[in-house]
Amino acid sequence: MAKSLFGARDHEGYVSREEHIKKLDTAASEDDAELAEATESLHLVRPSPGGPFSALTPSMWPQEILTKLGQPESDNDQGDYRFDEFGFRVEEEDGPEQSSNKLLSIPFIEDEKHRMQWIAHLEFSHHKEATELTWDTVDVILPRTEKLRNMVRAGIPHSLRPQMWMRLSGALQKKLKTETSYQEIVKVSSNDALMTSKQIEKDLLRIMPTNVCFSTQCGTGIPRLRRVLRGIGWLYPDIGYCQGTGVIAASLLLFMEEEDAFWMMATIVEDLLPASYYSSTLLGIQADQRVMQTLIGNYLTTVDESLKSHDIELSLITLHWFLTIFASVVHMKILLRIWDWFFYDGSIVLFQLTLGMLKIKEPNLKDLENSAQIFNSLSDIPGDIDDVETLFVNSMEVGGSLSQTVIDTHRRRHLAYLMADQGTLVGNPEASPNLPKQQLVKRQVKKNKSVIQTLLFGTENGDEDLKSKNIKQTEILVDLRESILKVSRHFLTIEPKLQAHIKLVADYTMDSHAKDHEDYINVSRNRKRRAKALHDFERHDDDELGFRRNDIITIVSQKD
C-alpha cells in the first residue's frame, strides 16, 4: 500500500517535471483502484469522499452504519442527525452551531495537488536509496529544515498523516528500537482485576461519547482504546491512568492503526511533554500553567491586566487545553492542523497557540463588564476558532520569538517552587537535584530463557537484572526520602518550636544510631495522640476548643 501510495520514479536518465507529475498522478489513480479492490475483496463498504466517516482509517469504518447509509432513504432510519467525516454525530434539528458553521460547510477532501507536492518533497529530500519511493525507504527521522517546517504549518495531506506523524514525533524510531513489543505489553496489561483497568473501564464510554466509534461497547474503537490505555498505564507506572490521555488516544485511533497510536501516545507522554505531566500530582502541567501566566505578563499586557483586575485564575480555563493537547476543546479539522505543528515542534506549540488564541480575543475583553463575562469569553475561545490560518499567524506574531530554552528555564523555576509549596523541597528551590525525575520509569517484560539458553548460559540473570534491581531500590529510597522530608516540613510549618529538635539533613554515620533504642523508649513514654481537623469549628463556650480546617490538635485527654 505504501509503495502504491508514492508510485515509481524513473532513475534512468533525466526525467522532466511534467513527465514526473504525470507518473505521480498515474500512481495515485492506481492507489485508489487498489484500495477499492481491497475493500471489495473484504466485502467492506467504503465511504464516499467527503462523506460520513471518510476521514477515518479504513479499519475504523463502522460497516453497519455505512451499509444503512447506502440503502434507499425510506429504509434509512437515521433520525434527526447525521455523521461527519470523523464519525461525530451532528444534530440536524437546530442546525450546526454558529461558531462551527464555516467548518461544517467545507467538505474534508484532500487536495490532490497538495498531496503531490508532499510526495515530491519526500522523494527528493528524504529518500535514502536510488530506488522507487516507498515508506520503507523514507527516513525514520526527518531532518528539521525551514522548508519542512513551513510545509507542516501549511498542513500535512490527510492520507500521509499517520506515517508523517510517526516520523515527525519520533514515535517510529521508538517503535523500531523498543525491546518490548506492543503485543507483549498488551498481554501483560490485560488483567481486568488491576485498579488501572477498572478505572479505564469506567471511562471508556465517556471519553468520546458523540463519536460512533466510541459511543457503545460495540464501537470499532472501544477494544483498541482499552488496550492502548491499559498498555500506557502498565508501561509507565508513574502515570497509571490519567483521564487527559483518553481523549488523545481516542483521537489518534481515528486516524492510525492501534499499534502506531500506542507508540504515538508513548512518545507524547515520555518525550514531547514533561515527565510529570500526567503523574498523580500533575506537577508538570501545574508548572506549565504558571509558565503560561508569566508569558502572558510578558507578551499580552492587556490580557494580563484584565485577568488581575478581575481576579481570574487562567489555569482553570487553560489546564484542560494543555492536558488534552486541545483535543477536547477544538473542532477536529482544527485539531489535525494543530497536531501537525505540535508533532514537529513539541510542547512549545502549546504556549504559542494559547498566546495566539488570547491575542485574537484581546480586543473584545475591554468591552466586557464583569469577571463572569471575561471567564466565559476566554473559555469559549477554542470552540470559536474556525480559521486555523488566522490562529497560526497570531500565534507566530505573539510567540514566534519563544524558544525551547526559554520555556525549559521557566519550567524549572516554577516546578521547583511548586514542589517547595507542597513541602517536597528543603533548601534552595533552584537546585536542580531537588527537581522530580526528568524521565518516566518504564517497565520491561521479563522474558524467560529458552531451554538452549538455559543449558548454555545457566539460570543466572546476569549483571543487567542486578543493575535493574539496584536502580529500583534506589528509586524507592529516593521516594521514601522525599516523603519523609515532606512530612517533616509540614510539621515544622505548623510548629516552629520543633526546629531545635528536628534535623532535615540525614546523618548516615554509625554514631547516629547509638541512641536509637533510647530515643524510641522516650518517644513511646511521652507520645501524645494527635488529630487533624477536617472542618472549621467555632467555639461557643469557654470550655470548647475552636480550630480551623487542617489544624493539628494534640489530644491531652479524651472523655468520649
Side-chain angles (χ1 to χ4, degrees), residues 134-318:
T134 66
W135 281 120
D136 292 335
T137 59
V138 176
D139 296 335
V140 173
I141 295 290
L142 301 183
R144 265 38 178 175
T145 63
E146 195 60 31
K147 181 178 181 180
L148 182 59
R149 175 180 279 107
N150 292 333
M151 291 180 68
V152 168
R153 285 181 186 159
I156 301 173
H158 192 64
S159 61
L160 306 185
R161 274 196 172 101
Q163 290 288 349
M164 288 304 301
W165 281 359
M166 290 286 286
R167 283 165 169 79
L168 293 176
S169 64
L172 181 58
Q173 186 179 46
K174 184 182 290 290
K175 175 184 176 180
L176 296 175
K177 289 190 174 183
T178 182
E179 297 179 358
T180 306
S181 69
Y182 177 60
Q183 289 71 25
E184 292 172 328
I185 293 173
V186 169
K187 185 176 180 180
V188 297
S189 63
S190 60
N191 187 351
D192 294 336
L194 296 175
M195 182 59 66
T196 302
S197 299
K198 294 178 180 179
Q199 292 172 336
I200 291 170
E201 206 62 33
K202 289 179 181 178
D203 277 354
L204 278 177
L205 298 182
R206 306 173 189 168
I207 290 173
M208 202 172 277
T210 60
N211 191 288
V212 70
C213 300
F214 302 100
S215 58
T216 66
Q217 287 290 352
C218 301
T220 53
I222 288 295
R224 305 178 188 204
L225 183 59
R226 179 187 291 115
R227 290 190 290 267
V228 169
L229 292 179
R230 284 185 177 186
I232 291 295
W234 180 87
L235 187 62
Y236 303 106
D238 289 345
I239 293 177
Y241 169 61
C242 176
Q243 289 181 327
T245 60
V247 66
I248 300 175
S251 299
L252 288 170
L253 284 168
L254 292 176
F255 313 112
M256 311 181 77
E257 294 305 316
E258 180 181 335
E259 184 174 356
D260 288 347
F262 172 82
W263 291 115
M264 286 293 296
M265 283 297 302
T267 303
I268 289 170
V269 302
E270 186 177 1
D271 302 328
L272 298 181
L273 296 175
S276 51
Y277 228 66
Y278 296 105
S279 65
S280 57
T281 59
L282 297 178
L283 269 178
I285 195 166
Q286 290 183 62
D288 271 9
Q289 297 312 296
R290 294 195 176 191
V291 174
M292 192 69 246
Q293 291 175 354
T294 302
L295 296 177
I296 291 171
N298 294 339
Y299 292 94
L300 297 173
T301 54
T302 302
V303 175
D304 188 49
E305 290 171 1
S306 296
L307 294 174
K308 289 179 178 177
S309 61
H310 291 86
D311 195 23
I312 295 176
E313 181 61 43
L314 186 65
S315 63
L316 296 176
I317 301 172
T318 58

Side-chain angles (χ1 to χ4, degrees), residues 111-139:
D111 183 359
E112 193 63 27
K113 182 179 179 181
H114 183 217
R115 179 171 176 263
M116 290 302 143
Q117 289 173 345
W118 268 86
I119 293 175
H121 174 76
L122 290 172
E123 182 173 21
F124 289 109
S125 303
H126 305 291
H127 191 197
K128 293 186 296 185
E129 303 172 2
T131 58
E132 61 180 358
L133 186 62
T134 66
W135 281 120
D136 292 335
T137 59
V138 176
D139 296 335

Side-chain angles (χ1 to χ4, degrees), residues 398-505:
V398 182
S401 61
L402 280 177
S403 67
Q404 192 62 49
T405 302
V406 172
I407 296 297
D408 290 341
T409 302
H410 284 307
R411 273 176 172 161
R412 283 194 297 270
R413 180 164 59 88
H414 288 296
L415 191 59
Y417 282 105
L418 263 174
M419 295 177 68
D421 290 343
Q422 297 184 11
T424 307
L425 292 182
V426 176
N428 179 17
E430 297 282 3
S432 57
N434 282 330
L435 296 180
K437 292 171 287 189
Q438 297 303 300
Q439 290 185 342
L440 289 171
V441 175
K442 290 178 66 174
R443 284 195 178 109
Q444 295 290 337
V445 176
K446 188 175 182 180
K447 300 178 181 179
N448 296 325
K449 292 184 178 181
S450 65
V451 176
I452 296 177
Q453 287 176 317
T454 303
L455 292 174
L456 292 176
F457 305 107
T459 58
E460 293 297 326
N461 292 326
D463 294 338
E464 284 301 317
D465 285 351
L466 184 61
K467 181 180 177 181
S468 299
K469 181 179 180 181
N470 289 337
I471 292 174
K472 184 63 178 177
Q473 289 175 339
T474 303
E475 288 177 347
I476 293 173
L477 289 175
V478 170
D479 290 339
L480 178 61
R481 173 182 174 275
E482 290 181 354
S483 300
I484 293 172
L485 288 174
K486 188 172 183 178
V487 172
S488 302
R489 189 180 179 88
H490 172 74
F491 282 107
L492 288 176
T493 302
I494 61 174
E495 291 192 33
K497 294 180 181 179
L498 294 176
Q499 291 277 5
H501 305 286
I502 296 180
K503 294 181 180 180
L504 297 178
V505 179

